[in-house]
């Protein structure tokens, strides 16, 4: 069975984990992501290729589970897969500049702010339309009229 030595953040071989290798289901359970997502993250290169048993089953170590948790947390904060890939690379590179990390996070925050503003504008428009609709048995409806009308000018 092929195995790989886990690496520390400095890139040097880390001591062997105290626990036995984990199956994909166990790694998923320990990291809080589904087995399907573990395979997806591996295909995307967020995880290095993992060791496999003679039967072809994947085996994960503690470093892999730690990386999966990192990815999950980044996903929970709404980072894109591309951003997460860059963040994982920076996280694993002890020679990184924190300015690079901050730039990615700042750009993501700016994108979130833009999307929040767009959602607030949509909410305001919809609230206005709902307020203008009588919601009775009559067929006239300002909501449908607005949706059917020409798009608002930009």
């Amino acid at each position: 069975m092929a195995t790989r030595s886990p690496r520390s953040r400095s890139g040097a071989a880390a001591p062997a984990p105290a626990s036995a290798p984990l199956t994909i289901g166990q790694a998923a359970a320990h990291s809080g992501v589904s087995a399907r997502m573990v395979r997806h993250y591996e295909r995307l290169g967020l995880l290095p290729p993992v060791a496999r048993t003679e039967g072809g089953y994947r085996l994960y170590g503690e470093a892999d589970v730690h990386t999966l948790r990192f990815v999950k947390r980044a996903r929970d904060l709404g980072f894109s897969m591309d951003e997460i890939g860059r963040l994982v690379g920076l996280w694993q590179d002890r020679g990184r500049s924190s300015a690079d990390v901050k730039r990615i996070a700042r750009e993501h925050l700016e994108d979130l702010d833009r999307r929040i503003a767009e959602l607030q504008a949509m909410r305001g428009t919809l609230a206005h339309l709902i307020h203008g609709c009588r919601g009775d048995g009559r067929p006239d409806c300002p909501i449908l009229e607005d949706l059917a009308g020409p798009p608002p000018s930009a």
Side-chain angles (χ1 to χ4, degrees):
M1 163 173 72
T3 60
R4 67 179 172 83
S5 298
R7 300 273 172 196
S8 68
R9 287 190 183 172
S10 67
S19 62
L22 303 171
T23 65
I24 193 168
Q26 292 168 325
H30 282 86
S31 63
V33 302
S34 68
R36 181 176 148 266
M37 292 309 294
V38 172
R39 287 189 291 276
H40 179 65
Y41 297 154
E42 191 175 342
R43 276 191 306 275
L44 291 176
L46 297 176
L47 286 176
V50 296
R52 291 191 180 246
T53 65
E54 290 178 14
Y57 292 100
R58 293 172 170 90
L59 296 174
Y60 297 87
E62 289 180 18
D64 300 313
V65 171
H66 196 78
T67 299
L68 289 168
R69 287 182 185 138
F70 181 99
V71 172
K72 181 181 183 326
R73 178 69 176 134
R75 289 293 296 154
D76 290 347
L77 290 173
F79 283 100
S80 70
M81 296 312 293
D82 179 59
E83 291 167 329
I84 293 171
R86 295 187 339 227
L87 288 169
V88 167
L90 289 167
W91 177 53
Q92 294 172 342
D93 175 9
R94 296 301 290 167
R96 70 181 172 261
S97 165
S98 65
D100 295 334
V101 178
K102 186 174 182 175
R103 181 174 41 261
I104 294 168
R106 183 182 306 124
E107 289 170 0
H108 180 61
L109 179 61
E110 290 168 359
D111 183 54
L112 286 175
D113 287 340
R114 179 191 54 75
R115 290 190 293 167
I116 288 169
E118 290 172 356
L119 287 170
Q120 287 174 332
M122 284 189 272
R123 186 192 186 289
T125 299
L126 189 55
H128 175 76
L129 291 172
I130 290 169
H131 180 72
C133 180
R134 292 184 183 165
D136 56 18
R138 296 181 354 189
D140 58 314
C141 178
I143 298 170
L144 293 177
E145 290 170 15
D146 184 83
L147 293 173
S153 60

